[in-house]
Amino acid sequence: MLGGTVRGKTTRLRLPTLDDLPQVDRWAADMRVRRGGPMGRIGEPCASSTWKERFNDVVKDKDCVLWLIEADSAAVGLAKIRFSGAPAADAVDIQQFLIDPGHWHKGHGFDAALTLHRWIFDIVHLRCVNIELPVDQLSALRIAEKLGYERFAHGHEAFYRDSAYVDQYRMRMTLRTWDERWGAEHREYPAPLGPELEA
Amino acid sequence: MLEPETTRFWGWRTLSRGDDEIEKRFKEQASGTTNVAWAIHLEEEHVGFTGIFDIDWVARDGESGIFIGRSDLYGRGIASEAIRLRTAFAWDELRIRRVHNWIVMRNRGSRRANEKAGYRQMGRLREAYFRTGQWHDEWLGEILLDPSPGLPRKD
């Protein structure tokens, strides 16, 4: 599994360990998290043993990276990407991006998203990243639009929850947009390996 | 599955197409609960495949695909009929209410066959598919069953 630790301003993306499971358990079954469309399908089991299995499986999956999002020494979220196969191996899909509801409205979602995109564009230098979002996930859509995602498809009634079908936006962000929008600002962030190795 | 003409807009370039690998994939597909796949027969000859994959049984949504393995049969309405049968099975037997797919923009035959069956464009992704030395756009299509009476729709 590719990946490694990536530091943002308030969050840190690092690979999860089994020791993180009790913290993830605390919020991963919260329906506010699970209704987030592709970030946690309602039909999937959400038991502790399932998460343990997922943590173990993702280590063996060479096409995926799963990060734990950490803030203030607590596990506050998860982010998972999947690489497309060759010859489009320079594109990824964000498959999960979720934040513990107890840590909403603190800016961790945007900081972790920006950090994730630093990894995608600055560190691994990929060409583009795709995401699919329910149209009523307003906070996620705001983050995506602020980062520079553009919508390329509108799927109708693609998700079902809360007794209703909900539409879906499919969005893409490219390396060119990243460079134009974030090219100067992202360099203010600490080096991914940490200041001790920066020299 | 080895003809350049039939795989021009279909499949991966890195997967093995040996008999063992194909048999393994068939077995995996057959044991899964989120796929329905069919062989397409023309008279007594097996000429292609179609299916609905990655079915989300909560949203009742799946992704479709089709492959005709003999290029000399193109333009004879085989894919159109297979798509119509597949779509009818999705509604009538599986209670799937939405099917979506991705088709390379230049694959006009496949797009037209899907549109004839009722698929409508929901988007277009630029430079999504690389083949024969160049990027191609992809057409994203979907087909929806009319909303069931009594089911609310969130806008």
Side-chain angles (χ1 to χ4, degrees):
Chain A
M1 185 167 72
L2 288 162
T5 302
V6 202
R7 296 167 204 269
K9 281 182 179 166
T10 65
T11 60
R12 190 167 75 115
L13 272 56
R14 66 165 173 80
L15 302 187
T17 69
L18 292 182
D19 293 338
D20 295 315
L21 277 174
Q23 290 197 75
V24 172
D25 268 349
R26 193 167 44 78
W27 48 263
D30 190 312
M31 289 306 283
R32 289 172 296 174
V33 170
R34 289 174 62 71
R35 69 192 294 281
M39 293 37 165
R41 297 251 172 165
I42 285 171
E44 291 177 356
C46 202
S48 306
S49 53
T50 312
W51 278 102
K52 186 176 179 181
E53 201 176 308
R54 282 183 196 154
F55 277 22
N56 285 326
D57 285 348
V58 81
V59 173
K60 292 177 253 168
D61 189 339
K62 293 182 174 63
D63 294 327
C64 279
V65 186
L66 174 70
W67 283 277
L68 188 95
I69 301 169
E70 199 177 59
D72 304 326
S73 304
V76 302
L78 290 169
K80 183 182 175 190
I81 58 146
R82 175 172 286 279
F83 280 85
S84 305
D90 52 358
V92 285
D93 294 319
I94 295 179
Q95 291 196 317
Q96 279 181 0
F97 189 89
L98 46 95
I99 299 286
D100 170 5
H103 288 271
W104 285 0
H105 311 303
K106 294 179 180 175
H108 293 331
F110 181 72
D111 189 70
L114 189 61
T115 306
L116 173 64
H117 288 74
R118 285 188 60 232
W119 184 89
I120 290 169
F121 292 120
D122 280 352
I123 298 174
V124 189
H125 207 67
L126 299 174
R127 184 175 59 92
C128 61
V129 50
N130 303 314
I131 192 165
E132 52 181 276
L133 290 170
V135 299
D136 62 351
Q137 286 291 95
L138 299 181
S139 54
L141 285 169
R142 266 198 300 272
I143 290 174
E145 282 164 10
K146 192 172 169 185
L147 282 169
Y149 277 81
E150 288 181 5
R151 194 199 323 169
F152 64 85
H154 180 163
H156 297 89
E157 304 181 14
F159 302 111
Y160 182 81
R161 75 275 178 91
D162 302 338
S163 309
Y165 288 96
V166 62
D167 288 359
Q168 162 209 64
Y169 288 153
R170 289 180 181 266
M171 306 171 90
R172 163 171 279 196
M173 182 175 174
T174 63
L175 174 62
R176 183 183 301 170
T177 306
W178 169 261
D179 280 341
E180 286 169 1
R181 192 171 289 203
W182 302 99
E185 193 168 333
H186 69 247
R187 291 184 176 82
E188 295 172 10
Y189 283 72
L193 295 174
E196 66 277 10
L197 296 174
E198 197 173 3
Chain B
M1 292 174 72
L2 298 174
E3 269 191 57
E5 292 85 357
T6 57
T7 59
R8 187 173 170 209
F9 296 123
W10 186 89
W12 298 101
R13 288 299 196 228
T14 50
L15 288 179
S16 161
R17 292 200 173 89
D19 289 348
D20 290 349
E21 283 297 317
I22 290 173
E23 186 179 341
K24 188 178 158 197
R25 264 179 252 152
F26 277 5
K27 282 180 177 168
E28 282 170 1
Q29 217 168 60
S31 63
T33 56
T34 56
N35 301 318
V36 182
W38 295 270
I40 300 171
H41 274 248
L42 178 67
E43 295 165 356
E44 295 304 312
E45 188 185 356
H46 177 191
V47 297
F49 300 98
T50 190
I52 303 171
F53 310 98
D54 296 331
I55 299 169
D56 177 339
W57 291 110
V58 176
R60 295 162 61 198
D61 173 48
E63 182 170 334
S64 64
I66 187 161
F67 173 74
I68 303 294
R70 270 181 49 189
S71 55
D72 60 309
L73 296 176
Y74 288 178
R76 290 176 50 176
I78 295 167
S80 297
E81 184 171 273
I83 293 167
R84 274 201 305 276
L85 291 169
R86 182 188 74 201
T87 305
F89 190 91
W91 306 150
D92 297 344
E93 308 298 333
L94 301 174
R95 279 190 78 228
I96 290 175
R97 64 188 303 282
R98 176 178 185 266
V99 182
H100 65 274
N101 57 25
W102 301 65
I103 299 170
V104 180
M105 217 54 196
R106 284 192 61 189
N107 190 354
R108 292 188 195 88
S110 185
R111 255 194 302 140
R112 202 167 54 232
N114 278 275
E115 284 171 336
K116 275 162 68 181
Y119 282 75
R120 294 290 172 261
Q121 181 169 346
M122 65 162 169
R124 176 178 183 154
L125 183 55
R126 299 196 182 280
E127 298 188 352
Y129 191 85
F130 192 86
R131 201 47 66 92
T132 55
Q134 58 183 314
W135 285 105
H136 299 277
D137 293 356
E138 281 200 302
W139 181 90
L140 283 80
E142 65 179 355
I143 183 167
L144 275 171
L145 179 68
D146 288 337
S148 307
L151 270 180
R153 193 191 126 79
K154 185 183 272 187
D155 290 317

